[in-house]
Amino acid sequence: MSRADFDLQAYLEGRAPAVEAALSRAVDASLPLLPADVADALRHGVTGGGKRLRPILCVTAWEACGGAERDAAYDLAASLEMIHAYSLMHDDLPCMDDAELRRGRPTTHRVHGQDRTMRAGAALIPAAARQARRSAESLGCDPSRAAAVARRVMEAAGAGGMVGGQWLDLEGEGQALDADALDVLHRKKTGALLVASLVVGAMAAEADETRVGALEEYGRAIGLAFQVADDILDATQDASVLGKNPSDAALDKSTYVSLHGLDEARRRASELASTARRRLREGGVGAPALDALADYVVERRN
Ligand code: GRG
């Protein structure tokens, strides 16, 4: 099937209930150890909508590498969204972006307070590691592969990935970053988790190195494309479309738009989507959904 024939909307809608159900299971499993007020904050942060791109990438990579659609694959996928949710909860706090709105709703700390939001976010990190390991075991991975899957999620979340990228982002506020520094920041802050979403799906399916490598390269390209698109949206859309307040200019951040201008940023995003698709082809991963997702990442409206 060509990419033009592939109905991504139907694909995303078809998978959404399984993604949401897995997230609900993951939240329920995380709650027993938490005080009720922290549990409420955690639920707000995880189950409040969003595109669910990371779980979709994970499940799609799992299937592209021969895995059958089943609940445990969605449970693995939920571990990536748990990390993503915690990062948004913490990123929105007054000490960072100080955001009022996320996914069209008040941010977690606006509803549940800073203290509970910090604790709920922190609780999600080990919960995601446990979720990744247990679900990989349910998918048939032996203990060492399941541990490797959980490690990959945590590495992407950590100082060499998302946390390191956020650190660079905070340090870079008010400074003019050059193109290379901006790429390094976003490869870590946004890209690492997107790449890991694909790679752990492939690892759990016991894909060979060529396929894992192709998915990794695809992920690196769509990770940057995603961020370029994010900067374009931040510069061109308002809160009613974005579901959050545009913040790059207010926080004096370097962006692909401030560095290259809108037209060049658009050109770069679409070139990165083409690179992503080419990497898949070269690695022998035939997945119309992943081809279509590369376009979606740059053409999305929020
Ligand atoms: C204190 C250094 C330090 C780190 C803490 C807060 C944090 C960890 C990391 C922040 C990472 C972050 C906010 C990355 C942004 C990623 C991003 C582009 C988010 C938007 O993703 P979408 O569009 O959101 O997929 P939805 O709402 O659709 O899920």
Side-chain angles (χ1 to χ4, degrees), residues 48-54 81 83-92 95-97 102-103 125 157 162-170 186 188-191 194 226-227 230 242 244 296 300 302:
K51 296 182 287 297
R52 308 308 198 194
L53 182 59
R54 293 147 193 86
E81 190 71 9
I83 294 294
H84 175 57
Y86 119 72
S87 81
L88 299 182
M89 291 157 75
H90 281 193
D91 190 49
D92 288 337
C95 62
M96 288 197 242
D97 276 5
R102 169 71 63 186
R103 298 166 166 169
I125 305 168
M162 187 184 78
V163 164
Q166 175 76 348
W167 179 248
L168 294 175
D169 199 16
L170 293 171
H186 290 302
K188 290 185 169 191
K189 180 181 159 183
T190 312
L194 293 171
F226 181 94
Q227 190 58 48
D230 223 54
L242 294 178
K244 59 182 182 179
Y296 167 75
R300 66 202 166 91
N302 65 22

Side-chain angles (χ1 to χ4, degrees), residues 58 71-80 131-132 135-136 139 149 153 200-201 204:
C58 181
D71 281 355
Y74 288 95
D75 290 334
L76 173 61
S79 68
L80 283 314
Q131 174 86 9
S135 53
L139 286 169
V149 163
V153 175
V200 299

Side-chain angles (χ1 to χ4, degrees), residues 16 24 40 46 64 70 98 102 104-105 117 119 156 160 165 191 196 224 232 242:
S24 280
D40 288 342
V46 176
R70 49 195 269 215
D98 194 10
R102 169 71 63 186
R105 304 188 310 162
T117 301
R119 289 156 71 198
L224 267 196
I232 294 170
L242 294 178

Side-chain angles (χ1 to χ4, degrees), residues 232-294:
I232 294 170
L233 289 170
D234 197 272
T236 57
Q237 303 293 337
D238 60 25
S240 66
V241 177
L242 294 178
K244 59 182 182 179
N245 291 108
S247 62
D248 292 339
L251 293 167
D252 201 10
K253 287 187 181 183
S254 299
T255 72
Y256 289 101
V257 174
S258 68
L259 205 61
H260 303 291
L262 256 182
D263 288 347
E264 174 57 18
R266 287 196 174 111
R267 194 201 60 74
R268 182 137 196 250
S270 115
E271 184 180 87
L272 283 161
S274 304
T275 303
R277 285 192 298 273
R278 193 170 62 248
R279 295 283 185 256
L280 279 188
R281 270 200 312 281
E282 288 165 358
V285 181
L290 290 176
D291 282 341
L293 280 163

